[in-house]
Amino acid sequence: MIEGEEGARGARTATASRRPRLGRRVGVVLATAVALAVTTVTPAGAVYYSGGMSSRTFCVQNPSVNPTWLSAINAGRNAWNNHASFPGNISVFSGCTSWLEVGSYGDTWLGLYSPLITGSQYRIRLDSANLNSHINANGYAFANVVRSTTAHEFGHALRLGDHTNLPTRLMSGSRNRNSVISPTTAEVNESNGYY
C-alpha cells in the first residue's frame, strides 16, 4: 500500500512524497494509453458502418430462389469466407433469424442491407428487376453482378461503410460489378480492424 510506503520513508512529508508518486503514476498511465492507442489504430481510410454484426461469425438463411441465383448469392458470401485474411465465417443456417431475399422492390438500389437488431439480426434484399436492368444495360455477366452485390451487402454486415472515392473496392457504389466481385485484402483488414 502507498500509505505504508510513505509511512516507512518518514523523511518526507505526506504531500512531498505524493507528488513524485503521482507524477510517476501519470507517466505510467500516459505511456499505457499511448501504447494502447498505437495498437488499436484503425486502418487508414477505413469507413465503418454502425449497423453491422457484433462478430465476424454469423449466419444467414438462403432465399428460396432458383439454382442460378443461389449459386451467385453463395459465391458472394464465400467471397468473404474464402479470403485468406478473413478469420470469420458467414454460414448458411435454416434456423437463422437473419435472411437474404430476392424480389422487385420498386426502388433504385441493387442491394440493400438493413439491420433489424443491430449486432445480431439483419436482412439483405437484392432487387431482381434493378439487377437485371444493370446487367442488360452494361452487358455484364449475371453471376458476377449478383456475386458483387451480395458480397458488398455482407460487407455492411461486417461493419464496412460505402467507399465513394475508391471504385476498385467492393464497398464502392461506383465499382464495376462485373470485375470487382470480392473484397480486397485492404477491405478484409479494415473489417478485421473493427473487430
Side-chain angles (χ1 to χ4, degrees):
M1 281 185 19
I2 294 171
E3 289 88 15
E5 291 174 1
E6 289 173 0
R9 294 183 191 255
R12 297 185 187 153
T13 66
T15 304
S17 65
R18 286 183 187 209
R19 284 190 186 130
R21 290 179 191 280
L22 182 59
R24 283 190 293 252
R25 280 194 200 124
V26 169
V28 169
V29 169
L30 286 174
T32 303
V34 168
L36 287 173
V38 169
T39 58
T40 58
V41 169
T42 58
V47 177
Y48 291 116
Y49 172 66
S50 63
M53 299 300 284
S54 60
S55 167
R56 291 176 289 219
T57 298
F58 55 91
C59 64
V60 64
Q61 273 188 47
N62 265 341
S64 296
V65 294
N66 69 46
T68 304
W69 275 92
L70 191 57
S71 176
I73 288 166
N74 283 332
R77 181 177 56 81
N78 286 325
W80 287 96
N81 288 339
N82 296 336
H83 195 285
S85 299
F86 182 63
N89 182 41
I90 305 168
S91 63
V92 174
F93 173 57
S94 62
C96 188
T97 59
S98 297
W99 67 95
L100 191 151
E101 58 190 22
V102 178
S104 182
Y105 301 101
D107 212 321
T108 59
W109 43 262
L110 303 178
L112 181 67
Y113 173 87
S114 301
L116 303 176
I117 301 172
T118 299
S120 64
Q121 188 180 20
Y122 65 91
R123 174 181 60 210
I124 293 175
R125 289 180 169 177
L126 302 179
D127 191 298
S128 57
N130 291 341
L131 284 164
N132 284 317
S133 293
H134 184 76
I135 291 164
N136 293 333
N138 294 293
Y140 291 162
F142 172 86
N144 289 351
V145 173
V146 173
R147 174 184 170 153
S148 177
T149 304
T150 302
H152 174 94
E153 299 309 326
F154 277 120
H156 291 311
L158 291 163
R159 301 280 181 156
L160 295 178
D162 290 313
H163 280 285
T164 56
N165 59 346
L166 298 169
T168 58
R169 298 271 191 112
L170 178 68
M171 296 310 294
S172 171
S174 62
R175 73 191 178 283
N176 179 325
R177 289 171 179 80
N178 199 48
S179 59
V180 181
I181 60 175
S182 295
T184 63
T185 298
E187 289 171 307
V188 172
N189 289 339
E190 288 168 2
S191 176
N192 291 343
Y194 182 88
Y195 295 100

